[in-house]
Amino acid sequence: MAESAQLELGARTISAYQGGGAPRHLGDRVNGPGDEHYVTATTDGTLYIAAVRSDSRGLGDLYRIPYTNGQYGDPVNLGPTLNAPETHETTPYVSPDGRYMIYGVRG
């Protein structure tokens, strides 16, 4: 992955015997013009991230990025139920089955 001034998400394959593969950028749909950080994934490949984007309600919001047919879709802001104005929602953890989320709020 190239050096960047903003925070972006990448992935690498990990093997118990070989240590790991080269990192790969997750693409422009996942990595927008703002900062993306704190990622978690469900077993179907859906990502949940904390990010600062143009549609963030506060200082940073939580987003869902669907994974279908080997491609990441457009990030979806999780809305005002989780993302409050003037706060920073961060560090999401979603259960592997996608049934619950634990996250932090600052602000």
Side-chain angles (χ1 to χ4, degrees):
M1 288 180 23
E3 183 94 13
S4 174
Q6 70 185 54
L7 296 171
E8 294 191 337
L9 299 174
R12 73 173 57 207
T13 303
I14 297 174
S15 165
Y17 302 104
Q18 297 177 355
R24 68 180 169 90
H25 193 266
L26 292 180
D28 292 337
R29 280 189 166 169
V30 174
N31 292 296
D35 288 335
E36 292 80 24
H37 43 92
Y38 303 113
V39 63
T40 186
T42 60
T43 54
D44 70 0
T46 299
L47 300 179
Y48 289 83
I49 66 170
V52 179
R53 294 178 173 252
S54 61
D55 66 342
S56 293
R57 296 178 43 84
L59 305 173
D61 282 359
L62 300 175
Y63 292 82
R64 178 182 180 276
I65 303 173
Y67 187 73
T68 308
N69 299 323
Q71 299 286 326
Y72 290 107
D74 292 326
V76 176
N77 187 304
L78 293 180
T81 301
L82 295 178
N83 297 312
E86 306 304 321
T87 63
H88 183 182
E89 286 73 25
T90 187
T91 58
Y93 169 79
V94 175
S95 62
D97 63 7
R99 293 182 58 191
Y100 68 88
M101 175 188 287
I102 300 168
Y103 63 99
V105 179
R106 180 176 17 163

